[in-house]
Amino acid sequence: MKKRPVVVRLVGAVLALVLIWHGLATVIYLSGSTRLANIAGPGTINAYMTPIFKQYWSVFAPDPIHEDTELEIRATVDGSSTEWFNVSKADVNRSILHHPVPSRLYLTNFQLTSHYQVSASLLPEDLQQVPGKSYVGQDWQQQLKQDLAANGSTADAEAVAQFIKDETAMTSMASSVARARWGDGVTRVQIRIATIPVKPYPVRKDPNYQVKTTYFDAGWRQIVKVPDIDLAAIASMYGKKAVTANAGQ
């Protein structure tokens, strides 16, 4: 039997190693084990899997996703409030709609929205109203932390710490999008999360069946200016010209 050329065998070996690595990384990532995930070095597996290969098994039975979630933001610009801007729809238009090879980068905002909503719901009962309050002024984060002071169990303190982390990330993202979209006159931002039920299968074609959208409204927040962020790049994704172009696809 004639041997394949050395180059072909080398390419085949490299491809086999890549496939083995990818398979092992996927299995380790899905295992949820921090010890296993650190075999290749701290954070290596997560960095490889996110965001391109991140797995979401909740779309399958026995408990498939039965609702859609959308993130909307608005801002105060020179004393006036803007209209709500749907970040999630912009992500779908830019990364998925009419794309033969959809990008998974939109999952970044989807995950942030999901984490924020969950961490807000896990706050102690006596603190459930805090996310809906407005916090403005340069010391708004300190005001928020004071209102969230946990006097309960260790679990309550952990829930509060997680919400503060997610709140900071959400406000930073919303502030950057708002500044890129509406300019440097932005002083405050507000987010709301829309939950839209999926039509039940038996009535999926019934035009008279109306789903009821529910909203989770956070309060106003003073903007967070993220150091060294590229607002021009964000404007190319969420600016008025970019969104107009995507809407026309």
Side-chain angles (χ1 to χ4, degrees):
M1 182 182 292
K2 184 179 180 180
K3 289 186 177 181
R4 293 183 176 87
V6 175
V7 174
V8 173
R9 282 184 286 166
L10 285 175
V11 171
V14 170
L15 288 176
L17 289 174
V18 170
L19 289 174
I20 292 171
W21 158 251
H22 180 73
L24 288 174
T26 302
V27 171
I28 292 172
Y29 180 80
L30 292 175
S31 74
S33 171
T34 302
R35 182 175 297 180
L36 284 175
N38 288 334
I39 287 178
T44 301
I45 297 293
N46 284 340
Y48 172 73
M49 294 298 295
T50 307
I52 304 301
F53 303 115
K54 193 166 181 67
Q55 306 290 315
Y56 282 99
W57 293 93
S58 58
V59 299
F60 298 104
D63 186 25
I65 293 174
H66 56 275
E67 59 189 21
D68 191 17
T69 301
E70 294 181 351
L71 173 66
E72 300 177 351
I73 69 170
R74 65 176 177 175
T76 297
V77 184
D78 299 326
S80 300
S81 297
T82 67
E83 297 293 327
W84 287 103
F85 169 57
N86 195 311
V87 175
S88 299
K89 284 186 177 179
D91 283 338
V92 170
N93 285 340
R94 187 187 73 255
S95 302
I96 301 176
L97 192 64
H98 304 306
H99 285 271
V101 184
S103 168
R104 294 172 66 88
L105 292 176
Y106 81 98
L107 290 175
T108 303
N109 287 333
F110 174 80
Q111 284 185 288
L112 177 58
T113 303
S114 177
H115 290 169
Y116 182 88
Q117 196 170 22
V118 170
S119 63
S121 69
L122 292 178
L123 286 172
E125 187 175 353
D126 59 331
L127 300 178
Q128 283 288 312
Q129 302 303 316
V130 172
K133 294 176 62 176
S134 292
Y135 294 91
V136 295
Q138 297 304 314
D139 64 338
W140 74 268
Q141 289 170 307
Q142 188 59 37
Q143 297 175 39
L144 175 68
K145 291 178 181 178
Q146 289 175 353
D147 284 354
L148 286 171
N151 298 316
S153 64
T154 301
D156 289 347
E158 290 176 352
V160 166
Q162 184 61 49
F163 176 75
I164 291 173
K165 179 181 177 180
D166 290 335
E167 173 67 64
T168 301
M170 176 63 80
T171 303
S172 298
M173 184 278 290
S175 298
S176 299
V177 171
R179 290 175 62 207
R181 182 170 177 79
W182 293 297
D184 290 331
V186 172
T187 56
R188 303 186 302 171
V189 291
Q190 184 182 25
I191 69 146
R192 72 178 182 186
I193 300 171
T195 301
I196 309 162
V198 175
K199 275 187 177 183
Y201 188 80
V203 295
R204 67 193 185 284
K205 296 182 179 180
D206 184 356
N208 297 318
Y209 184 91
Q210 299 295 321
V211 297
K212 184 178 181 181
T213 302
T214 58
Y215 292 95
F216 170 88
D217 293 86
W220 286 97
R221 305 285 187 263
Q222 192 78 15
I223 65 167
V224 174
K225 291 188 176 181
V226 181
D228 302 321
I229 196 164
D230 188 350
L231 290 180
I234 299 176
S236 69
M237 296 186 289
Y238 301 111
K240 294 182 178 179
K241 291 182 180 180
V243 173
T244 299
N246 284 331
Q249 291 183 344

